[in-house]
Amino acid sequence: MKNSLQVLVAVPECGPFPEMNSVENYTLILNDHDFILKAHTVWGALRGLETFSQLIWRSDEGMFSVNWTEIVDFPRFPHRGLLLDTSRHYLPLEVILETLDVMAYNKFNVFHWHIVDDPSFPYESMTFPELNRKGSYNPISHIYTIGDVKTVIEYARLRGIRVIAEFDTPGHTLSWGKGVPGLLTPCYAGATPSGTYGPINPILNKTYEFMASFFQEISSVFPDFYLHLGGDEVDFTCWQSNPDIQAFMKEKGFDNYEKLESFYIQKLLNIVSSYGKGYIVWQEVFDNNVKLRPDTVVHVWRETQPSPYAFEMDTITKAGYRVLLSAPWYLNRISYGEDWQEIYRVEPLNFEGSPEQKALVIGGEACMWGEYVDETNLTPRLWPRAGAVAERLWSSQSVTDVGLAYDRLTHFRCELLRRGVQAQPLNVGYCEHEYFQH
Amino acid sequence: MAFNKFNVLHWHIVDDHSFPYQSATFPELSKEGAYSHAHVYTQTDVKIVLEYACIRGIRVIPVFDTPGHTNSWGPGQKDLLTPCYKGAVKIDNFGPVNPILNTTYEFMSKFFKETSQVFPDKYIHLGGDKVDFTCWKSNPDVAEFVQQQGFGQDYKKLESYHIQKLIDIVSSANKGYMVWQEVFDNGVKLKEDTIVEIWIQSNYAIELQKVTEAGYTAVLAAPWYLDYISYGQDWKKYYTVEPLDFVGNKTQKDLVIGGSAALWGKFVDATNISPRLWLRASTVGERLWSPQNVRNLDDAYSRLTEHRCRMLRRGIAAQPLYAGYCEM
């Protein structure tokens, strides 16, 4: 009979935040003599505690039991993330916090917060309060106050989860324009403005003054070393239509708009670097030949265009940059059936490349874009499907048997239900504790 | 459903995997066939559903699908299912209901007598879809019976034989019946007021034509299998369905009495049923209630988004149609 688990942590401070290179190893030894969890850091201890909690079962008489165990465990990839999109639909704070809980159950360690985008700007900026006042769906109910943000960061920290905020520019910024007039490019229909707006206006000095102030705030609010700066899907049509931009292009000798986009991103990266932050960018920034710092992380999201993602990963790592993989893990792209299997079968290092290149793949992220997702369907759509990504990123490359994974995932799903998580079924069957709506 | 003016609950209550219906006459069925003793609908539960539905103007039509889809009936009712053979050896596997034994029909008689009393609606759905003939063919007694009856090698005739007897049993209990389209397709002799439910996706317009041409009433489910989820605004494809878009005269078109949105439960339970149903099912609700000319997608979109916020206010976890928000 045991009534306590001894937890031994070599590096005892609880103060700092989890980081990219935090050591998450742990050893779990459960037998009659030793009932201990050993870890180098507190982050490893958290992982070990989660494992321990999943090893416990209940005998028929109702006694909590655990089998003799010896586990030496560590993650394969250091960056195991989940992206939530709070612009397409606002997600209440409790929903984010619950997601962080379930992320911890799955040993995810990065929360990629795609916090603002075209449709809405829910982030409450202290420097530019008009951004959320004019850009949110509802400035009272559909915003994240600085208190909310700090709550998320601390809640995540206690679970060993880093919070990487994404402020995606120069595209995906329609909602920014409402609170900061003149920030976005006015589009033209012939010689006159059409009344619509496009990406951030890259030719004005005040754009960069704004970015400098804004990112100074962001850099201090979000403690992680990395910020995600976006840089994806910039639609050049509006820039092309604007005569001032055309003139600027001529003046600078830019013969294509990728160069203008690079011009903007370059200045943005310099601004962000000056605040002591590193950055993650979507793959277009690399594809468009922007000059990146060596410690930039490139995020691969496009499955087949402009090239298959495996090829993209080869190209990026060949150029010496670190890579995150999301392309095959867009969980928002639902389909009928057991789609978790396809997700599970992905092998991130399945590309032509040297071992040095492969070492630059630091992990990946499951993405839950929000066009069709909000609190009514987020949890069942996320779990247990995201679990397939979590295992792929934590476990050894050889753990690939789909049949065995099915058994473990269905068992885990029932455990999630028991913990009150609205995780949807994988196939026909039942759990002892079914979901009961409160 | 009531918020969307649906008026029939099609309760597909039992199938291969589990038998949650607690029968008063045959308690062993759920005792041995349900997932667990906690995974049952007692007679009281059923009454609650019936009353709750009645107050909302919703009929409850139970589905007791035979002879296929009956795996879970076997453990609680010995000799009901056909034992399968491998060559001359009986294997530990069972197939559809055994259509050659008198005991089968004695059981069916008693069982449907009970369900006819428990479920007050005039109609009961007898299923009759997707019968796998392999087990029947493997069983020497069944094979011999088929020979004796002069069915040749056509096991569809054996299926018809079963359904025929079932229909007679149910009719004598004064019920009308709904059947899946295969029963019609296989030439079973049906009562005039049989309702044929069309579910096979490919060429359902042609099936509508055939069924109504033969004078039977039709209910359309084929284009509305809501369990077939896909990415994006799939509500549009459900909304644009026009049930009367088939070749036929007015008499035929009048025989199409409506439709059914289906949410099969392979990948669905309490955790995801509400967002998966609403508002995709609402589009079916409008298609079946509103006049034929109400089909503008943009107009439907603005009404649906408003309706969605309304359902949220009423506590229904209806999922979003697209980016946007509802007032809290």
Side-chain angles (χ1 to χ4, degrees):
Chain A
M1 286 263 291
K2 302 281 184 189
N3 60 11
S4 64
L5 173 74
Q6 220 192 349
V7 181
L8 304 162
V9 177
V11 179
E13 355 74 76
C14 235
F17 289 85
E19 292 169 13
M20 172 86 86
N21 297 314
S22 290
V23 176
E24 294 173 283
N25 303 25
Y26 68 90
T27 301
L28 187 61
I29 299 176
L30 309 172
N31 58 46
D32 285 338
H33 309 287
D34 303 306
F35 209 69
I36 54 172
L37 167 63
K38 284 192 286 192
H40 187 68
T41 69
V42 69
W43 318 118
L46 287 176
R47 305 297 169 238
L49 281 173
E50 179 56 42
T51 298
F52 177 66
S53 76
Q54 292 184 27
L55 291 172
I56 298 169
W57 49 278
R58 233 179 164 158
S59 67
D60 287 333
E61 299 83 43
M63 288 250 304
F64 290 110
S65 309
V66 70
N67 293 352
W68 272 50
T69 299
E70 188 172 329
I71 292 177
V72 177
D73 198 9
F74 55 91
R76 183 178 170 204
F77 294 103
H79 183 124
R80 307 178 303 281
L82 182 70
L83 176 151
L84 287 185
D85 168 3
T86 56
S87 174
R88 275 54 180 259
H89 285 99
Y90 178 78
L91 294 175
L93 186 63
E94 316 86 68
V95 172
I96 297 178
L97 299 183
E98 193 213 40
T99 303
L100 289 168
D101 276 333
V102 192
M103 282 172 68
Y105 302 159
N106 286 266
K107 297 189 175 69
F108 275 110
N109 66 354
V110 176
F111 169 40
H112 177 161
W113 194 348
H114 188 93
I115 186 168
V116 299
D117 201 297
D118 279 330
S120 76
F121 195 104
Y123 170 74
E124 188 186 45
S125 167
M126 294 167 295
T127 330
F128 299 98
E130 291 297 290
L131 277 169
N132 51 281
R133 264 194 223 131
K134 299 260 168 61
S136 61
Y137 279 138
N138 180 311
I140 298 174
S141 52
H142 289 62
I143 56 162
Y144 302 105
T145 63
I146 186 67
D148 293 336
V149 172
K150 295 235 178 287
T151 300
V152 169
I153 293 171
E154 178 64 3
Y155 201 88
R157 187 185 78 85
L158 290 174
R159 286 150 184 76
I161 296 171
R162 300 163 55 202
V163 178
I164 298 181
E166 179 183 349
F167 287 91
D168 191 353
T169 68
H172 288 278
T173 45
L174 280 181
S175 64
W176 300 51
K178 306 207 176 115
V180 182
L183 181 65
L184 303 183
T185 310
C187 312
Y188 275 67
T192 47
S194 66
T196 58
Y197 294 89
I200 303 257
N201 194 333
I203 73 175
L204 303 174
N205 283 335
K206 61 181 179 137
T207 294
Y208 301 103
E209 282 157 29
F210 166 82
M211 289 300 167
S213 299
F214 184 72
F215 278 97
Q216 182 172 42
E217 172 187 324
I218 300 305
S219 300
S220 71
V221 167
F222 293 93
D224 197 271
F225 175 68
Y226 283 91
L227 286 179
H228 201 302
L229 299 179
D232 63 312
E233 293 180 309
V234 185
D235 182 358
F236 295 145
T237 340
C238 185
W239 281 351
Q240 277 173 309
S241 74
N242 184 299
D244 297 324
I245 291 190
Q246 287 165 20
F248 184 85
M249 295 277 289
K250 225 181 233 141
E251 186 198 324
K252 289 284 187 185
F254 292 160
D255 55 355
N256 62 43
Y257 281 85
E258 278 84 355
K259 293 208 168 81
L260 181 61
E261 185 191 346
S262 302
F263 172 81
Y264 166 82
I265 296 268
Q266 210 74 76
K267 294 181 80 125
L268 181 67
L269 297 185
N270 294 341
I271 288 171
V272 169
S273 301
S274 74
Y275 296 129
K277 292 291 194 190
Y279 38 77
I280 307 175
V281 290
W282 295 111
Q283 67 181 76
E284 286 95 319
V285 176
F286 169 84
D287 294 341
N288 293 348
N289 293 311
V290 177
K291 207 158 78 350
L292 302 169
R293 254 183 23 193
D295 64 353
T296 309
V297 177
V298 181
H299 201 160
V300 175
W301 69 273
R302 313 195 68 176
E303 261 199 288
T304 51
Q305 303 287 342
S307 52
Y309 69 83
F311 186 77
E312 180 78 10
M313 290 175 79
D314 179 29
T315 316
I316 296 171
T317 51
K318 216 176 239 136
Y321 296 107
R322 282 172 302 166
V323 159
L324 282 176
L325 179 60
S326 281
W329 290 329
Y330 268 35
L331 300 185
N332 53 306
R333 295 206 154 259
I334 56 171
S335 58
Y336 180 72
E338 285 192 65
D339 63 347
W340 71 271
Q341 293 186 5
E342 222 183 290
I343 292 169
Y344 188 75
R345 287 199 178 99
V346 171
E347 171 40 57
L349 301 190
N350 224 0
F351 62 93
E352 304 276 312
S354 65
E356 293 76 38
Q357 280 178 256
K358 305 220 173 175
L360 291 172
V361 179
I362 56 170
E365 294 186 356
C367 296
M368 185 55 80
W369 294 102
E371 281 88 346
Y372 307 102
V373 176
D374 73 1
E375 64 178 304
T376 58
N377 59 357
L378 174 72
T379 303
R381 195 161 290 193
L382 262 181
W383 315 107
R385 288 157 80 233
V389 180
E391 175 154 302
R392 181 52 50 235
L393 292 172
W394 176 281
S395 295
S396 149
Q397 185 166 4
S398 59
V399 177
T400 52
D401 187 302
V402 171
L404 292 177
Y406 177 81
D407 293 335
R408 285 182 294 102
L409 201 53
T410 36
H411 178 87
F412 182 61
R413 186 251 168 178
C414 287
E415 175 60 17
L416 288 179
L417 285 194
R418 200 189 58 81
R419 295 182 184 191
V421 178
Q422 203 173 336
Q424 70 182 11
L426 285 170
N427 208 318
V428 298
Y430 71 104
C431 293
E432 222 184 287
H433 300 91
E434 298 289 4
Y435 176 71
F436 182 77
Q437 196 165 7
H438 304 287
Chain B
M1 283 174 68
F3 300 160
N4 291 270
K5 298 192 177 69
F6 278 101
N7 67 350
V8 178
L9 173 67
H10 213 127
W11 192 348
H12 191 90
I13 186 169
V14 298
D15 203 296
D16 277 328
H17 296 93
S18 75
F19 195 104
Y21 171 71
Q22 198 171 66
S23 162
T25 327
F26 300 100
E28 294 295 301
L29 284 171
S30 61
K31 188 148 172 281
E32 301 302 318
Y35 279 139
S36 83
H37 66 268
H39 289 74
V40 294
Y41 300 107
T42 62
Q43 288 291 321
T44 310
D45 291 333
V46 172
K47 285 201 179 6
I48 291 173
V49 170
L50 291 170
E51 178 67 4
Y52 202 91
C54 180
I55 294 175
R56 286 153 183 76
I58 296 171
R59 301 162 52 199
V60 178
I61 299 181
V63 187
F64 289 98
D65 194 346
T66 70
H69 288 277
T70 45
N71 253 149
S72 67
W73 301 50
Q77 185 68 20
K78 196 164 160 298
D79 298 332
L80 179 66
L81 302 183
T82 312
C84 311
Y85 279 68
K86 197 161 183 188
V89 181
K90 193 196 286 199
I91 56 175
D92 192 22
N93 214 21
F94 294 93
V97 167
N98 194 332
I100 74 174
L101 302 175
N102 286 334
T103 49
T104 295
Y105 302 103
E106 281 156 29
F107 164 81
M108 290 294 173
S109 208
K110 293 201 185 90
F111 184 75
F112 281 100
K113 179 152 180 256
E114 172 189 319
T115 62
S116 299
Q117 289 166 345
V118 170
F119 294 92
D121 199 271
K122 171 134 200 293
Y123 281 87
I124 187 166
H125 198 306
L126 300 177
D129 64 313
K130 294 189 275 146
V131 186
D132 183 357
F133 296 145
T134 333
C135 184
W136 278 353
K137 287 185 183 168
S138 77
N139 183 300
D141 299 321
V142 175
E144 196 190 318
F145 182 85
V146 163
Q147 253 246 331
Q148 286 173 349
Q149 293 284 320
F151 294 156
Q153 275 303 295
D154 190 356
Y155 277 75
K156 285 207 195 116
K157 294 204 167 90
L158 180 60
E159 185 191 342
S160 301
Y161 172 86
H162 164 87
I163 293 271
Q164 207 75 74
K165 295 187 79 125
L166 203 59
I167 282 174
D168 293 337
I169 287 171
V170 164
S171 302
S172 72
N174 230 352
K175 292 288 185 186
Y177 42 84
M178 282 184 77
V179 289
W180 293 115
Q181 66 181 79
E182 288 95 317
V183 177
F184 166 81
D185 294 341
N186 293 349
V188 176
K189 210 167 84 232
L190 301 169
K191 246 170 49 181
E192 254 177 44
D193 62 352
T194 309
I195 301 177
V196 178
E197 188 166 7
I198 295 167
W199 70 273
I200 298 177
Q201 266 274 320
S202 51
N203 300 321
Y204 68 82
I206 297 184
E207 186 72 12
L208 277 165
Q209 180 190 350
K210 287 197 196 139
V211 168
T212 54
E213 214 164 51
Y216 295 108
T217 321
V219 161
L220 181 64
W224 290 321
Y225 267 37
L226 302 183
D227 52 311
Y228 285 151
I229 57 171
S230 58
Y231 178 69
Q233 292 197 49
D234 62 347
W235 69 269
K236 293 184 185 176
K237 74 172 182 242
Y238 302 128
Y239 190 76
T240 47
V241 170
E242 175 39 57
L244 299 189
D245 225 343
F246 65 95
V247 175
N249 58 33
K250 181 166 186 315
T251 321
Q252 280 176 262
K253 307 256 167 144
D254 285 346
L255 286 170
V256 180
I257 56 166
S260 203
L263 192 70
W264 295 100
K266 196 153 184 222
F267 304 104
V268 176
D269 74 0
T271 58
N272 59 357
I273 185 172
S274 284
R276 195 158 293 195
L277 262 183
W278 315 108
L279 273 83
R280 291 152 81 238
S282 306
T283 60
V284 182
E286 175 154 301
R287 180 55 49 237
L288 294 173
W289 177 281
S290 296
Q292 188 164 6
N293 57 14
V294 176
R295 11 188 25 97
N296 182 290
L297 283 171
D298 293 327
D299 180 64
Y301 179 82
S302 52
R303 283 182 297 104
L304 273 171
T305 38
E306 196 190 314
H307 192 47
R308 189 247 169 175
C309 292
R310 176 182 299 124
M311 303 240 278
L312 279 193
R313 274 202 309 275
R314 295 181 182 186
I316 308 295
Q319 69 182 10
L321 286 167
Y322 194 57
Y325 70 105
C326 293
E327 299 298 342
M328 290 297 196

